[in-house]
Amino acid sequence: MKHFLKETDFTLQEAAEVLAQAQSFKKSRADHWFPTLAGKSWGMVFSKSSTRTRVSFEVGIHELGGKAIFLNQNDIQLGRGESIGDTAKVLSRYLHGLIVRTYDHQDLVKLSQDGSIPIVNALTDFLHPCQLYTDVFTLAERWATGDDLISSLKGRKVAFFGDCASNVSNSWILGANLFGMKIALAGPEEFAPGLEIRELLEKEGYGDNFEFTTDPEEAAKEADVLYTDVWVSMGKEEEATGRIEKMVPYAVTADLLSLAKPDAYFMHCLPAYPGKEVSQEVLDNPRSIVFDQAENRLHAQKGILAFLAQRSSEG
Ligand code: CP
Ligand code: NVA
């Protein structure tokens, strides 16, 4: 059973297929109905808030001819202590796939092991792979000259600022390695990439392939993309005051953007907090592509769902 829990659950070739499919869905969204999920029901179990992921998945499933069933964790017995294993087994008897947003990444791994339907990671504390595939798609559609989206990413430098131990930064570390990009991260020492992502990189055969520095200017130099995420991720609210104080030097400002390549893009997974991790000036800059990223969640995730549906129909 094919799942999408982390970026490397798809090979580079498979990722290329997903992105090409995303591009095709995007081009023909207005004129075509793609009944890839006709007669299929996909569950969405979310334990955290969401605007983009929830709405883009619900709309995407609808546009693929399927039915989405949204379940807040507290709507189901999981919220009252039913085990993940039993939940996975029961939901597998009704649904054709499950999209999950939760805290502990290992809960997702357990769901995928105990259930018998494809599981999609809609964000855990560790990784946000739907975001990463969307982000590389958003870049490739700008950089690619022909149909080959993937090659246009190779060798490009992404600089990430702020919380370098977050789900989005971890996804960038893993995703950059998968797509042959360079990743430099700048943040306070205590928010450097952690052991879990280092071990995963090692396991996937990439070694320690990223740069971490406490100097934001060093990371920004020669970058093709400046990227940031919130300083206080969901579930970390109690740490907010301490985090914000330490992250101030890593805000993405017009001065920092001026150190990157002249044609560099600014990206943010959103939600953004202007005046904190990014200035309003940068968000409004013509080089900012944050709303294209947000839109592309829909197209990229349709690509991911179509790919998984096709794989599970092949057995
Ligand atoms: N970027 C992202 O995942 O946004 P939501 O939390 O709104 O889904
Ligand atoms: N790191 C953020 C990403 C939100 C899309 C969080 O987990 O809250």
Side-chain angles (χ1 to χ4, degrees):
M1 178 60 59
K2 196 86 173 157
H3 301 286
F4 187 58
L5 307 189
K6 59 182 186 298
E7 286 69 9
T8 45
D9 283 344
F10 297 161
T11 64
L12 188 58
Q13 180 54 41
E14 289 170 339
E17 279 176 44
V18 167
L19 299 195
Q21 183 69 77
Q23 190 177 41
S24 152
F25 283 145
K26 183 170 184 174
K27 276 188 187 148
S28 47
R29 185 180 177 205
D31 351 299
H32 290 105
W33 185 260
F34 300 95
T36 320
L37 298 184
K40 311 281 185 205
S41 301
W42 277 63
M44 297 174 59
V45 176
F46 279 44
S47 309
K48 294 177 174 176
S49 307
S50 172
T51 300
R52 282 142 288 269
T53 311
R54 175 178 177 176
V55 178
S56 56
F57 264 119
E58 289 202 33
V59 171
I61 291 167
H62 171 70
E63 291 184 0
L64 293 174
K67 179 172 175 56
I69 301 175
F70 184 83
L71 301 161
N72 184 294
Q73 176 182 283
N74 293 325
D75 292 341
I76 58 175
Q77 299 288 5
L78 190 64
R80 296 182 66 245
E82 186 170 12
S83 74
I84 292 172
D86 285 1
T87 305
K89 285 174 197 149
V90 171
L91 292 181
S92 295
R93 300 287 179 112
Y94 310 127
L95 299 170
H96 300 92
L98 196 57
I99 299 159
V100 182
R101 170 169 283 203
T102 193
Y103 294 87
D104 188 348
H105 191 80
Q106 289 315 312
D107 287 351
L108 211 64
V109 173
K110 180 137 181 67
L111 271 174
S112 70
Q113 289 165 346
D114 291 352
S116 51
I117 51 175
I119 308 289
V120 173
N121 179 356
L123 179 146
T124 63
D125 288 347
F126 183 42
L127 293 170
H128 195 2
C130 291
Q131 182 72 54
L132 187 281
Y133 271 52
T134 300
D135 293 341
V136 294
F137 172 60
T138 306
L139 291 168
E141 64 177 359
R142 285 171 167 72
W143 289 335
T145 46
D147 289 340
D148 181 2
L149 290 171
I150 297 289
S151 305
S152 71
L153 300 166
K154 221 170 166 41
R156 299 279 190 162
K157 177 179 173 183
V158 176
F160 187 100
F161 300 91
D163 182 359
C164 303
S166 77
N167 38 24
V168 176
S169 57
N170 284 339
S171 274
W172 260 108
I173 292 171
L174 187 57
N177 277 280
L178 174 66
F179 290 102
M181 303 173 82
K182 294 180 199 143
I183 175 82
L185 305 101
E189 192 69 54
E190 72 183 90
F191 297 101
L195 194 59
E196 199 177 0
I197 189 65
R198 290 172 190 271
E199 284 177 354
L200 180 56
L201 274 192
E202 197 65 48
K203 196 168 150 216
E204 298 287 333
Y206 296 126
D208 234 7
N209 196 15
F210 64 87
E211 283 172 28
F212 173 76
T213 170
T214 52
D215 177 358
E217 296 188 0
E218 187 189 322
K221 274 182 206 150
E222 289 303 306
D224 294 287
V225 177
L226 299 195
Y227 201 115
T228 191
D229 180 13
V230 294
W231 288 340
V232 185
S233 283
M234 290 178 278
K236 308 280 184 201
E237 290 78 5
E238 284 178 9
E239 300 171 17
T241 311
R243 279 176 169 251
I244 291 168
E245 276 167 14
K246 288 169 197 152
M247 303 276 184
V248 168
Y250 302 95
V252 180
T253 59
D255 284 349
L256 197 64
L257 187 59
S258 73
L259 298 176
K261 286 186 180 163
D263 58 355
Y265 291 111
F266 170 71
M267 300 181 86
H268 191 312
C269 55
L270 304 182
Y273 295 89
K276 291 207 165 62
E277 76 276 5
V278 57
S279 68
Q280 188 66 54
E281 191 184 359
V282 169
L283 273 172
D284 295 340
N285 189 292
R287 303 309 299 172
S288 165
I289 54 173
V290 300
F291 295 110
D292 292 332
Q293 282 176 266
E295 178 193 328
N296 282 340
R297 297 295 302 277
L298 172 66
H299 312 301
Q301 287 159 194
K302 282 167 77 177
I304 291 165
L305 291 174
F307 181 79
L308 288 172
Q310 188 202 341
R311 281 302 167 97
S312 57
S313 72
E314 291 164 1

